[in-house]
Amino acid sequence: MEEQEKLARFQERIDSGQKIEPKDWMPERYRKQLTRMISQHAHSEIVGMLPEGNWITRAPSLRRKVALLAKVQDEAGHGLYLYSAVETLGVTREDVINEYLEGRAKYSSIFNYPTLTWADIGAIGWLVDGAAIINQTMLARGSYGPYSRAMVRICKEESFHNRQGYEIIYTLAQGTPEQKQMAQDALNRWWQPAIQMVGPPDDNSPNSAETMRWQIKVESNDVIRQRFIDRTVPQAHAAGLTIPDDQLKFNEETGHWETGPIDWDEFWRVVKGNGPCNRQRIQDRINAEREGQWVLDAAAAYAKKQGKKQLTLTE
Ligand code: BYC
């Protein structure tokens, strides 16, 4: 079959809502786009453990500690499903992890900000998992079977994360004036990064035309961002907190909250490696890889004895 004809058939399958599976024919660009997105997503789950892991030993109660520990473990699990999903596209997880360790791979901009107080743990669950769920519920309807199925399970776990985060923020906001101020301060620092994390505006999103034509993404960055804002503003108000945007207003005609300007210069600075914690995040992962080498060596020795392939740290 001619390439053009294969392409037309492929597009027909996508347009009729069929899932594409690993052994099906797919255009090289489709494979490339998915490999890019899934590997970035996997790295984000793993690097996302760092800002939260920072607070496990300092959680204010046993209940909070247990919930945070479970959340961070869930994120590791998400990374593993996603590294497995990316392997179905013909790359190895060692290759994509090495790209990350060498600073060549992207991961979500949001994880380059520090967690300065306990309220930041609430802000991550509420805002970061909140934005991620809205984006990923959309990705669960995407065309590639292994990725869309991974999203279903991940979203269920993220819903728990989101509620534990909002509960932390809400509780602090109803506490002493100092506690309320801590919650407000976390919202002030995380609001812009959170509304930026679902990607640049549609008119400056080079991958969208292709990722949407092939239904890797089924809704655009702007649509997802607006949904996140519409859902989150009333939650802030219910907790008695103020969104840090003096131009924020509700448009009665469209039924949407409209924000003031979003700081896209800051977003691109962070994406290009110059956020407050970019270097530290990569260094921490390099250290973890180095310090975990003995586990790899032990697993490799065991695998050799059993006649199996060599394992990686994330298996
Ligand atoms: N950060 O053309 P665009 C979690 C890049 S983790 C960094 O719009 P696309 C959690 C983009 O890669 C959840 N880079 O791209 C874990 C592209 O550069 P390249 C993380 C970003 O792909 C632990 C360029 O900008 N979620 O929930 O059509 C604890 C132009 O963008 C970002 C995912 O990873 C960013 N924020 O759309 C707690 C979801 N945004 O690759 C919570 C999967 C954009 O061409 N990914 N860039 O060099 C996606 O849904 C899509 O890739 C995006 C961007 C919507 C993010």
Side-chain angles (χ1 to χ4, degrees), residues 42 45-46 75-85 93 313-315:
E45 299 284 354
I46 300 295
E75 309 302 355
H78 300 171
L80 297 190
Y81 310 145
L82 291 167
Y83 284 127
S84 296
R93 70 179 67 195
L313 248 196
T314 42
E315 272 177 307

Side-chain angles (χ1 to χ4, degrees), residues 36-37 40-41 44-45 48-49 52 71 75 106-109 111 124 128-129 132 135-136 139 147 158 196-200 205-208 211 217 221 267-268 271:
R36 176 187 70 82
M37 244 176 81
Q40 288 176 359
H41 193 163
S44 304
E45 299 284 354
M49 295 161 74
E52 293 188 292
K71 179 183 190 310
E75 309 302 355
K106 288 200 169 72
Y107 59 88
S108 186
S109 49
F111 300 118
I124 291 183
V128 178
D129 286 274
N135 190 41
Q136 291 167 189
L139 293 175
Y147 191 34
E158 306 276 40
Q196 292 161 8
M197 81 173 264
V198 295
S205 162
N207 297 294
S208 278
T211 47
K217 293 196 305 202
N221 299 358
F267 170 78
W268 290 115
V271 170

Side-chain angles (χ1 to χ4, degrees), residues 6 28 48 59 66 102 109 137 144 170 196 238 256 262 271 312:
K6 280 190 195 162
E28 259 332 282
V66 168
E102 288 160 14
S109 49
T137 307
Y144 188 57
Y170 189 90
Q196 292 161 8
H256 293 299
I262 299 176
V271 170
T312 67

Side-chain angles (χ1 to χ4, degrees), residues 41-58:
H41 193 163
H43 302 323
S44 304
E45 299 284 354
I46 300 295
V47 81
M49 295 161 74
L50 294 170
E52 293 188 292
N54 183 30
W55 278 90
I56 291 174
T57 55
R58 294 177 287 167

Side-chain angles (χ1 to χ4, degrees), residues 132-133 136-137 140 150-160:
I133 291 171
Q136 291 167 189
T137 307
M151 286 300 106
V152 174
R153 175 157 177 190
I154 290 178
C155 283
K156 285 188 180 151
E157 293 177 350
E158 306 276 40
S159 301
F160 153 73

Side-chain angles (χ1 to χ4, degrees), residues 53-257:
N54 183 30
W55 278 90
I56 291 174
T57 55
R58 294 177 287 167
S61 69
L62 182 59
R63 177 171 171 264
R64 295 290 189 211
K65 191 192 289 266
V66 168
L68 182 58
L69 199 55
K71 179 183 190 310
V72 173
Q73 284 176 338
D74 286 350
E75 309 302 355
H78 300 171
L80 297 190
Y81 310 145
L82 291 167
Y83 284 127
S84 296
V86 81
E87 284 190 314
T88 66
L89 291 160
V91 291
T92 66
R93 70 179 67 195
E94 290 85 348
D95 286 343
V96 294
I97 291 171
N98 280 337
E99 278 180 18
Y100 173 82
L101 296 175
E102 288 160 14
R104 288 184 284 122
K106 288 200 169 72
Y107 59 88
S108 186
S109 49
I110 195 87
F111 300 118
N112 291 305
Y113 292 88
T115 41
L116 302 179
T117 72
W118 171 250
D120 291 13
I121 298 303
I124 291 183
W126 174 33
L127 302 173
V128 178
D129 286 274
I133 291 171
I134 292 172
N135 190 41
Q136 291 167 189
T137 307
M138 171 278 285
L139 293 175
R141 291 188 278 127
S143 60
Y144 188 57
Y147 191 34
S148 69
R149 288 188 288 273
M151 286 300 106
V152 174
R153 175 157 177 190
I154 290 178
C155 283
K156 285 188 180 151
E157 293 177 350
E158 306 276 40
S159 301
F160 153 73
H161 301 167
N162 181 237
R163 274 196 274 176
Q164 69 91 38
Y166 187 65
E167 199 210 356
I168 291 172
I169 284 287
Y170 189 90
T171 306
L172 286 171
Q174 314 314 306
T176 63
E178 290 80 7
Q179 286 170 325
K180 182 170 182 183
Q181 184 48 41
M182 205 194 279
Q184 182 64 54
D185 172 60
L187 173 57
N188 294 349
R189 286 181 288 107
W190 288 89
W191 175 248
Q192 278 281 330
I195 57 178
Q196 292 161 8
M197 81 173 264
V198 295
D202 291 353
D203 57 11
N204 193 19
S205 162
N207 297 294
S208 278
E210 218 167 39
T211 47
M212 293 191 69
R213 172 154 42 89
W214 284 325
Q215 298 190 22
I216 294 172
K217 293 196 305 202
V218 297
E219 286 177 305
S220 78
N221 299 358
D222 287 349
V223 168
I224 299 295
R225 186 180 320 98
Q226 187 62 53
R227 189 170 299 145
F228 170 67
I229 292 166
D230 288 341
R231 192 170 295 179
T232 309
V233 172
Q235 292 171 345
H237 294 165
L241 298 174
T242 308
I243 299 284
D245 179 348
D246 53 17
Q247 294 178 44
L248 183 78
K249 60 176 188 304
F250 188 69
N251 184 325
E252 296 284 349
E253 277 173 27
T254 61
H256 293 299
W257 286 93

